[in-house]
Amino acid sequence: MPHTLYRSGNLIIMVKLPKSHPRYLSLKTRELLVNGVEEGITSKAGLIAHGRGEMFDYLIGEETIEFAEKAERKAIAEMLEAENPVISVNGNVAALVPSGIVSLADRLDAKLEVNLFHRTEERIEKIEKKLIKNGAKKVYGKRAGAKIPGLDHDRALCAEEGIFSADVVLIPLEDGDRAKALKDMGKKTITIDLNPLSRTAKTADITIVDNLVRAVPNMMKFEPMYDDLDNDKNLRNTLDHMYNRLKHLSQEVRP
Ligand code: PTJ
């Protein structure tokens, strides 16, 4: 039975995670993020963001629904057709899917750039090292000579050859403000965000409402979709799916 140690000051809390636990996968995913914080890769705010994501995943049914699959397939096509596709990596992505995101960049012939909302040089370096350990040959982001216009502070910093000059950017779990600033630069934006109501979800050209831990492996195996995708309609369908599921669940609790 795997054990997890949580250290909090002098306190060591031992949590046993039996594989038979009905929430095993969800608990393992949390464990990756807690480890990410301890390693100095994930921000504490990343834990809060994940909690919000989990809530929406619950409403979806913790599976890849057809509308997410469509968006994933369209995203693959857009990235494959792009001239300079870039995948933006933050502290949550690096903790949850370090090898998956490197393989995806390989498949899509995309650059990887560490681009943080809560930017520190130390975190950038640690994430870069983690990606290289997982097989990345080159990681952008440490040398950030360009700025995303319209954003203040360090979250505007990006690499000239990376996000700054990208035509298509995959921005998983992105802050709404920056997603809009990237769009304002004329870039095609693709997000992976479990909250279909977030500003990022509404701003992006393609919104994948799926858990990052499912979306990335899916995007490794799905075939590209070259047909048009109506992103707003896809989002409406996703919300309807949640609404119908809740209606169904409410029936179940009635006597
Ligand atoms: O590492 P940093 O400093 O770049 O910070 C990264 C976070 C994620 C903390 C930062 O970008 C942030 O604060 O993001 P937001 O504004 O909280 O948005 C994160 C979005 O991702 C929310 O809409 C969540 O519902 C969603 N989300 C959280 N976990 C997942 C997710 N979507 C897909 N898969 C997840 N596992």
Side-chain angles (χ1 to χ4, degrees), residues 207-241:
T207 308
I208 299 167
V209 183
D210 201 1
N211 198 321
L212 183 71
V213 299
R214 293 190 301 269
V216 170
N218 284 346
M219 289 173 77
M220 280 303 293
K221 61 174 194 244
F222 286 170
E223 291 299 318
M225 180 181 90
Y226 292 99
D227 299 342
D228 287 346
L229 174 85
D230 183 337
N231 200 55
D232 290 342
K233 190 171 162 209
N234 218 37
L235 276 179
R236 277 197 301 275
N237 285 337
T238 304
L239 284 166
D240 283 344
H241 168 88

Side-chain angles (χ1 to χ4, degrees), residues 49 52-53 90-91 116-118 123 173 193-195 210-212:
R52 178 151 51 171
N90 64 22
L116 302 181
F117 187 73
H118 311 277
R123 276 181 70 218
L173 284 73
D193 189 333
L194 278 162
N195 178 4
D210 201 1
N211 198 321
L212 183 71

Side-chain angles (χ1 to χ4, degrees), residues 13-165:
I13 307 160
M14 216 152 75
V15 182
K16 289 178 191 171
L17 283 181
K19 276 202 166 143
S20 58
H21 191 290
R23 310 274 328 138
Y24 180 77
L25 268 182
S26 162
L27 293 174
K28 281 302 281 184
T29 308
R30 284 185 184 181
E31 187 185 78
L32 289 174
L33 284 171
V34 170
N35 289 343
V37 172
E38 292 201 341
E39 281 173 47
I41 280 175
T42 309
S43 69
K44 287 182 185 161
L47 299 177
I48 300 169
H50 183 75
R52 178 151 51 171
E54 275 187 340
M55 189 278 287
F56 283 100
D57 207 11
Y58 221 83
L59 296 184
I60 291 168
E62 295 177 302
E63 61 178 0
T64 300
I65 60 172
E66 59 172 299
F67 312 111
E69 176 170 342
K70 233 186 204 176
E72 282 158 7
R73 293 183 52 219
K74 183 68 187 165
I76 301 167
E78 289 291 348
M79 293 289 279
L80 286 173
E81 285 192 326
E83 273 184 21
N84 186 18
V86 176
I87 301 178
S88 179
V89 179
N90 64 22
N92 287 48
V93 176
L96 290 180
V97 286
S99 77
I101 209 75
V102 172
S103 308
L104 187 63
D106 269 354
R107 179 187 182 190
L108 303 174
D109 205 9
K111 290 175 183 160
L112 285 165
E113 175 165 341
V114 183
N115 201 257
L116 302 181
F117 187 73
H118 311 277
R119 185 185 173 100
T120 68
E121 294 311 310
E122 202 189 337
R123 276 181 70 218
I124 301 243
E125 260 173 48
K126 285 186 174 169
I127 295 173
E128 182 189 283
K129 275 197 191 131
K130 180 134 189 164
L131 295 175
I132 286 173
K133 207 171 136 199
N134 279 277
K137 284 166 212 87
K138 175 143 184 69
V139 178
Y140 293 82
K142 201 153 77 181
R143 250 178 251 112
K147 275 190 171 181
I148 303 167
L151 289 180
D152 51 8
H153 304 303
D154 288 353
R155 67 203 170 109
L157 294 173
C158 63
E160 176 98 45
E161 287 170 76
I163 288 178
F164 190 77
S165 56

